[in-house]
Amino acid sequence: MDKKTSLKWALCITIIFVFMTIVWTNPREYFSSNSYIRDNVIIGNAECSIHSKHKNISPITNSKHFMVSAFKDHRINGKTRIISILNRDHLQPLFCIFCYGKNNYSTPAQIDMHSDHFGFRYVTTDVLCQNKPECNATHVTLSVLPNMLASHADFLPIRNQKRQEEAFPYEFTICISNLFGTYNNVLQFAQTMEVYKLLGIQRVVIYNTSCGPDLEKVLRYYSEEGTLEIVQWPIDQFLTPSKGWNFKEHGGDIHYYGQLTTLNECIYRNMYTSRYVLLNDIDEIIMPYQHANLHLLMEDLQHRHPDVGVFLIENHIFPKTQFDNSGRFNRTEWKKVPGINILEHIYREPDRKNVFNPTKIIANPRQVVQTSVHSVLKNYGGTFKVPPDVCRIVHVRVPLQGRLTKEQLFVDKKLWEYEKILLPNVDNVLNKSGIFN
Ligand SMILES: *[C@@H]1O[C@H](CO)[C@@H](O)[C@H](O)[C@H]1NC(C)=O
Ligand SMILES: *[C@@H]1O[C@H](CO)[C@@H](O)[C@H](O)[C@H]1NC(C)=O
Ligand SMILES: *[C@@H]1O[C@H](CO)[C@@H](O)[C@H](O)[C@H]1NC(C)=O
Ligand SMILES: *[C@@H]1O[C@H](CO)[C@@H](O)[C@H](O)[C@H]1NC(C)=O
Ligand SMILES: *[C@@H]1O[C@H](CO)[C@@H](O)[C@H](O)[C@H]1NC(C)=O
């Protein structure tokens, strides 16, 4: 052998030796059939929660994207789903960095944009991360690089660590997306909350960007009472949110203050806390017309449609411009309370030919993957459209068919059935939250 050949051999043997040492000390990393383990870069050592400064919307460092919440999804082998808001003009590969104890590791992210963005630049997106089951990661963050410095990280806690298929703390939770502007419709809100309770709803979740001064007091009251969970949603600090649903008409960065993001966040947030989740607006009441409450309605519907997890409920408009003639609920107590008195609006608009009534949703959250406002985008199991005579939404608002006279509208006094309990309950709330003073 000449000198050159022996040098080559020596190099070769050294490389083989180094490789075998690595494999010997860390065999699972190299011979696992799971590709995600091969793809991992182990960059461990940092206490996860120290790096968590999360406040519901977090910019992804060095990108135009945002992350919102992380959930373990037991339906897809415990992968982590990060509800995010991505800028469609700047799509790029992302990496999930998982943290467990003092260690971290990263995996490439799978990006699943929701199909509905209504032309806006920012779109609700699920970022899916394959985690190592043996590591029990408690926190995760997204990065444009596979290894990031700790100082840049904002780790999200991974929620829904434990799967639960029965015995939920609540039977019904309502998800109300984005409160914004100076919305101060106190009377309608208090009345609506009290009707919800009589229908058997135990919990309401509201995403708050901003609201009026009196509504603020009532929100605080319900929050202290435990009925209301307020999720702060400072989207206006990060983006120019649109006040409308369509980019061409309304402009802005994102549909309705990020409504699609909050609705999806709410589904996952309540996946194991509530048997059913209702997705409706703050001025809408999903009202059973043939059952005494929502429990009886859903028991009946679910019995008839055991495989269905998504129930669509038609919206019906009760114009706030048409008042009940009798003046029965024109009460002096409520004269100075800002907002609409829904008990005075008993006239319902008829269906229009060739116009569909939009729907809102009652869902088993464990069957929903992605939702939109009026229907779900991806789900397991079936969908059922509930006939309006069984259940419909009572929606007191500006008319859609403003030309119709009282005679052309239906009289619908469903809400009056709750009068006896409703009036004292609403008074009590207004009194205790300081609206009467
Ligand atoms: C991950 O671990 C590496 C190596 O210990 C460390 O330098 C880095 O700061 C950690 N990254 C994060 C985001 O905690
Ligand atoms: C991960 O969690 C499971 C179940 O809680 C537990 O049995 C296991 O020992 C944990 N593994 C580690 C590495 O902490
Ligand atoms: C709603 O958000 C605004 C703006 O951040 C804040 O001033 C207000 O206190 C919040 N209200 C509640 C009830 O959390
Ligand atoms: C309610 O009562 C007041 C008088 O207290 C009256 O001025 C007002 O027109 C009434 N409103 C309706 C819709 O009947
Ligand atoms: C408000 O509550 C107080 C006691 O908490 C009661 O004395 C008062 O009558 C109530 N006022 C109204 C208008 O209900």
Side-chain angles (χ1 to χ4, degrees), residues 124-164:
T124 303
T125 301
D126 293 346
V127 178
L128 296 168
C129 306
Q130 181 74 65
N131 44 310
K132 297 203 288 178
E134 70 274 21
C135 286
N136 289 357
T138 56
H139 292 70
V140 70
T141 192
L142 289 174
S143 168
V144 295
L145 297 171
N147 49 1
M148 56 150 39
L149 293 173
S151 58
H152 290 152
D154 186 2
F155 278 92
L156 318 183
I158 303 173
R159 309 172 71 138
N160 294 353
Q161 291 279 358
K162 218 166 145 252
R163 186 175 204 158
Q164 198 167 336

Side-chain angles (χ1 to χ4, degrees), residues 211-252:
C211 67
D214 302 292
L215 192 65
E216 171 89 13
K217 293 180 191 167
V218 181
L219 291 176
R220 283 183 196 279
Y221 170 84
Y222 280 117
S223 166
E224 274 162 35
E225 187 191 67
T227 328
L228 184 65
E229 179 179 354
I230 303 169
V231 182
Q232 301 305 339
W233 186 247
I235 185 86
D236 52 352
Q237 290 176 21
F238 300 98
L239 295 174
T240 307
S242 181
K243 289 192 168 69
W245 68 275
N246 175 320
F247 174 69
K248 275 198 182 131
E249 246 175 86
H250 307 104

Side-chain angles (χ1 to χ4, degrees), residues 34-37 39 69-83 96 98 105 107-112 126-134 136-137 139-140 142 157-163 268 271-272 369 378 380:
N34 300 329
S35 60
Y36 67 84
I37 289 189
D39 291 337
S69 292
F71 300 95
K72 188 166 182 162
D73 193 333
H74 300 273
R75 305 165 303 182
I76 47 173
N77 286 324
K79 267 192 197 174
T80 299
R81 182 185 301 270
I82 305 178
I83 308 276
C96 311
F98 284 100
Y105 64 91
T107 65
Q110 180 194 336
I111 290 173
D112 186 3
D126 293 346
V127 178
L128 296 168
C129 306
Q130 181 74 65
N131 44 310
K132 297 203 288 178
E134 70 274 21
N136 289 357
H139 292 70
V140 70
L142 289 174
I158 303 173
R159 309 172 71 138
N160 294 353
Q161 291 279 358
K162 218 166 145 252
R163 186 175 204 158
Y268 283 89
M271 188 156 282
Y272 302 118
V369 181
K378 287 187 186 172
Y380 305 97

